[in-house]
């Protein structure tokens, strides 16, 4: 059985969970409080980060490498295009969300509001929260611009880029930090991806001390 060490609101873990579910890989989810630095966990991943996956007898880390390994070993349904230019665009956008969006938005909102409390690291820093709340507007506008000329973020097919973006936005939506009224185009894209069976496990997540808002799991949000 495949086993994923994760935390529920981690966008990197969510991207892997979505990819596993799309590819119909059954997975046992094990919550890993990575900040407690359990020696067993450090042995599995000396970088002390989640996700860590135990798959096909191997332990693997780094969400993008894991997702591309899944794509290489379980080609259906296809989440990477064949054409090199299109593959480049998927990878560029995965990096956009996992690097830039993460640094400017997810880390400033989810980590400040949720992770700090769980890790007993004090209260959210209002400067960071304000910064994240301003920057998410720029990112939603960029997504709107992309989606005006494409059916999905990286082109006309659904790809890993959509799951990278949806992983971050779903974590933020769990704490009501996405203004879905900013762009009907982005909202329609999210409604489409949220209604996929692969999203169900994410919508059932419950983080102790942080109940999700009613709209979080509602497909008609
Ligand atoms: N590049 C890594 C990033 C993983 C990552 O930063 N995960 C966070 C949780 S969302 C973490 O484990 N942070 C612990 C740390 O940085 O020490 C990936 O894509 O898997």
């Amino acid at each position: 059985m495949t086993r994923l060490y994760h935390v529920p609101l981690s966008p990197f873990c969510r991207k892997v969970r979505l990819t596993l579910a799309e590819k119909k890989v059954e997975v046992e989810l094990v919550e890993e409080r990575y900040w407690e630095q359990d020696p067993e966990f450090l042995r599995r991943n000396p970088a002390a980060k989640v996700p860590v996956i135990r798959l096909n007898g191997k332990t693997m880390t780094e969400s993008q490498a894991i997702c591309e390994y899944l794509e290489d070993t379980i080609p259906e349904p296809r989440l990477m295009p064949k054409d090199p230019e299109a593959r480049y665009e998927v990878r560029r956008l995965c990096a956009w969300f996992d690097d830039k969006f993460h640094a400017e938005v997810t880390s400033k909102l989810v980590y400040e509001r949720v992770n700090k409390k769980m890790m007993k690291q004090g209260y959210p820093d209002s400067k960071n929260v304000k910064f994240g709340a301003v920057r998410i507007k720029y990112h939603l506008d960029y997504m709107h611009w992309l989606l005006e000329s494409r059916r999905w973020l990286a082109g006309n097919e659904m790809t890993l880029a959509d799951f990278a973006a949806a992983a971050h936005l779903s974590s933020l939506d769990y704490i009501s930090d996405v203004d879905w009224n900013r762009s009907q185009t982005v909202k329609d894209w999210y409604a489409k991806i949220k209604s996929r069976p692969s999203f169900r496990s994410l919508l059932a997540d419950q983080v102790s001390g942080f109940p999700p808002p009613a709209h979080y799991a509602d497909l008609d949000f």
Side-chain angles (χ1 to χ4, degrees):
M1 170 69 123
T2 301
R3 181 179 283 184
L4 182 72
Y5 299 88
H6 82 128
V7 293
L9 294 188
S10 158
F12 307 105
C13 300
R14 287 184 160 224
K15 183 178 63 175
V16 171
R17 287 166 70 192
L18 289 168
T19 305
L20 287 165
E22 283 292 328
K23 303 215 175 256
K24 308 254 180 320
V25 178
E26 264 192 65
V27 62
E28 179 195 353
L29 294 177
V30 178
E31 222 169 302
E32 180 65 63
R33 296 165 70 86
Y34 56 83
W35 54 95
E36 291 177 356
Q37 306 244 316
D38 178 64
E40 259 311 286
F41 173 56
L42 292 180
R43 195 181 54 72
R44 274 184 224 109
N45 184 11
K49 292 181 191 216
V50 289
V52 175
I53 196 168
R54 186 82 191 141
L55 176 65
N56 297 341
K58 287 179 280 292
T59 300
M60 297 179 180
T61 63
E62 285 299 327
S63 63
Q64 192 64 24
I66 295 168
C67 289
E68 294 210 25
Y69 172 84
L70 289 167
E71 179 69 10
D72 289 344
T73 50
I74 313 168
E76 294 298 328
R78 180 176 286 284
L79 299 177
M80 276 295 267
K82 282 205 169 126
D83 167 66
E85 276 74 31
R87 291 168 79 79
Y88 156 78
E89 182 63 351
V90 173
R91 292 185 173 125
R92 181 186 75 80
L93 284 167
C94 288
W96 174 284
F97 288 100
D98 287 347
D99 296 343
K100 188 174 170 68
F101 188 99
H102 177 255
E104 295 179 359
V105 183
T106 315
S107 70
K108 300 292 186 282
L109 294 170
V110 179
Y111 293 3
E112 287 293 337
R113 292 196 208 277
V114 181
N115 296 30
K116 262 191 172 172
K117 189 172 173 197
M118 282 194 315
M119 297 174 187
K120 300 193 172 42
Q121 287 179 352
Y123 295 101
D125 178 331
S126 60
K127 269 205 308 294
N128 282 342
V129 170
K130 213 167 158 189
F131 181 84
V134 169
R135 287 308 283 169
I136 193 172
K137 295 180 186 173
Y138 166 82
H139 285 276
L140 290 172
D141 291 350
Y142 181 54
M143 292 175 73
H144 174 92
W145 179 78
L146 288 172
L147 290 165
E148 273 190 322
S149 60
R150 306 164 169 190
R151 277 209 292 277
W152 295 92
L153 284 173
N156 287 332
E157 306 298 330
M158 184 188 69
T159 67
L160 286 177
D162 297 287
F163 291 120
H168 284 271
L169 285 174
S170 62
S171 301
L172 290 154
D173 197 35
Y174 188 97
I175 51 168
S176 294
D177 267 332
V178 185
D179 173 11
W180 295 114
N181 291 323
R182 191 164 179 89
S183 158
Q184 187 61 42
T185 309
V186 175
K187 188 176 181 187
D188 290 346
W189 163 85
Y190 189 66
K192 215 162 41 166
I193 202 156
K194 185 180 183 181
S195 64
R196 296 186 70 76
S198 62
F199 232 84
R200 279 185 204 143
S201 134
L202 270 55
L203 299 181
D205 278 344
Q206 292 281 340
V207 180
S208 160
F210 295 90
H215 77 265
Y216 172 72
D218 186 354
L219 298 182
D220 234 356
F221 56 109

